């Protein structure tokens, strides 16, 4: 099976670009951030806050996360409920970042991700796909852009969805998440030694997609 690992910070456009790239290649797209978001949502629903002063193992033992493909689109299910929209709120984002620093949470989601790549040609995006989840991925890309560019893109996306956020809030959240994701002791966000760096700060969406597809095709020898 062929696996394309795409890692990078929040707001780099990973999910939209990975989805499109997967479609162009005829692979399935696995958004691993959605899995962490679903676990974060469970903790929110259980009354926990970002400090996670709760019995993590206990909550996980009563948590079911799975993904199902509906019309070729990934839907993440938490305890058999489709939570695809609920996991996208700013609160769920912060909780996802908090829970993702916890080793039991990472262990809880690891096998599911590996199995998906074992059984399918995948484009899988996240933070540690090329470094931890699929160290032998066929192609590894580290997708990034400046924090300002990423905050602008995310802000626009949230406003279009009707969220009442300010750019400054989004930018602050972005910096906080970057810090959390790169400084956690377990599976921190970092570029794998054998990953190709793709900086899209100056690229339009179409140019970014072209860049990714050209990296993939070159690596696959096409
Ligand atoms: O990609 P995203 O913004 O949907 O990810 C949500 C959070 O989950 C992010 O703060 C980091 C975490 N995450 C992770 O630790 N490992 C992954 N493979 C994917 C996401």
């Amino acid at each position: 099976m062929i696996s394309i690992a795409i890692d990078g910070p929040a707001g780099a456009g990973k999910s939209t670009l990975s989805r499109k790239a997967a479609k162009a290649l005829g692979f399935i797209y696995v958004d691993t951030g959605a899995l962490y978001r679903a676990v974060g949502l469970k903790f929110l629903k259980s009354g926990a806050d970002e400090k996670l002063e709760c019995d993590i193992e206990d909550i996980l033992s009563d948590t079911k996360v799975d993904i199902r493909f509906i019309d070729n689109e990934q839907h993440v299910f938490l305890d058999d409920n489709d939570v695809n929209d609920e996991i996208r709120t700013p609160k769920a984002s912060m909780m996802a970042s908090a829970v993702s620093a916890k080793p039991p949470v990472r262990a809880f989601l690891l096998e599911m991700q590996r199995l998906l790549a074992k059984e399918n040609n995948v484009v899988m995006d996240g933070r540690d796909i090329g470094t931890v989840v699929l160290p032998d991925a066929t192609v590894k890309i580290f997708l990034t852009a400046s924090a300002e560019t990423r905050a602008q893109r995310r802000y626009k996306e949230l406003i279009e969805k009707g969220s009442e956020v300010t750019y400054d809030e989004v930018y602050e959240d972005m910096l906080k998440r970057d810090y959390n994701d790169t400084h956690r002791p377990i599976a921190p966000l970092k570029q794998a030694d054998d990953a190709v760096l793709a900086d899209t700060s100056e690229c339009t969406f179409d140019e970014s997609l072209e860049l990714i597809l050209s990296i993939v095709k070159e690596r696959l020898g096409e």
Side-chain angles (χ1 to χ4, degrees):
M1 287 297 171
I2 299 171
S3 50
I4 316 292
I6 302 189
D7 292 303
K14 290 190 306 286
S15 45
T16 321
L17 288 166
S18 301
R19 179 180 296 111
K20 291 261 178 176
K23 199 163 180 205
L25 295 161
F27 294 3
I28 65 162
Y29 163 54
V30 179
D31 167 8
T32 64
L35 303 174
Y36 288 92
R37 286 167 179 271
V39 173
L41 188 63
K42 175 70 177 224
F43 279 70
L44 266 183
K45 286 179 189 288
S46 307
D49 63 18
E50 274 175 57
K51 291 194 191 112
L52 294 174
E53 288 156 341
C54 53
D55 189 336
I56 293 176
E57 303 272 6
D58 190 50
I59 296 177
L60 286 176
S61 70
D62 182 37
T63 300
K64 182 179 166 198
V65 171
D66 61 319
I67 60 180
R68 302 177 198 172
F69 291 90
I70 303 172
D71 294 335
N72 262 330
E73 280 290 314
Q74 168 184 312
H75 284 243
V76 59
F77 281 70
L78 171 64
D79 299 330
D80 290 319
N81 296 306
D82 188 336
V83 290
N84 245 27
D85 294 329
E86 237 183 306
I87 57 172
R88 299 286 156 199
T89 62
K91 218 172 186 169
S93 300
M94 286 319 289
M95 270 311 258
S97 183
V99 297
S100 68
K102 300 292 177 191
V105 173
R106 303 206 73 85
F108 178 75
L109 295 173
L110 185 62
E111 277 318 304
M112 186 196 309
Q113 298 171 73
R114 288 192 172 152
L115 195 64
L116 282 160
K118 200 172 157 192
E119 294 178 342
N120 305 276
N121 288 326
V122 291
V123 174
M124 189 176 280
D125 81 357
R127 302 292 189 286
D128 62 335
I129 309 306
T131 50
V132 176
V133 179
L134 306 176
D136 298 323
T138 324
V139 183
K140 298 181 187 178
I141 296 174
F142 194 81
L143 188 71
T144 191
S146 70
E148 290 78 11
T149 306
R150 292 184 286 117
Q152 276 294 355
R153 289 175 184 164
R154 184 53 61 90
Y155 172 66
K156 203 167 151 244
E157 207 177 281
L158 288 168
I159 291 294
E160 277 164 9
K161 281 188 192 152
S163 269
E164 289 183 1
V165 287
T166 65
Y167 168 77
D168 287 347
E169 280 166 359
V170 176
Y171 182 66
E172 286 307 316
D173 268 12
M174 194 67 79
L175 293 185
K176 195 167 159 197
R177 281 219 281 156
D178 281 357
Y179 186 87
N180 285 350
D181 294 348
T182 50
H183 285 79
R184 63 184 183 217
I186 177 171
L189 169 66
K190 69 171 198 290
Q191 184 178 345
D193 292 340
D194 50 352
V196 180
L197 179 68
D199 186 329
T200 68
S201 301
E202 305 295 329
C203 297
T204 62
F205 182 82
D206 287 344
E207 288 165 351
S208 307
L209 182 60
E210 273 306 306
L211 178 63
I212 289 176
L213 289 174
S214 66
I215 294 170
V216 170
K217 285 180 181 155
E218 194 190 315
R219 289 270 160 146
L220 294 180
E222 286 176 12

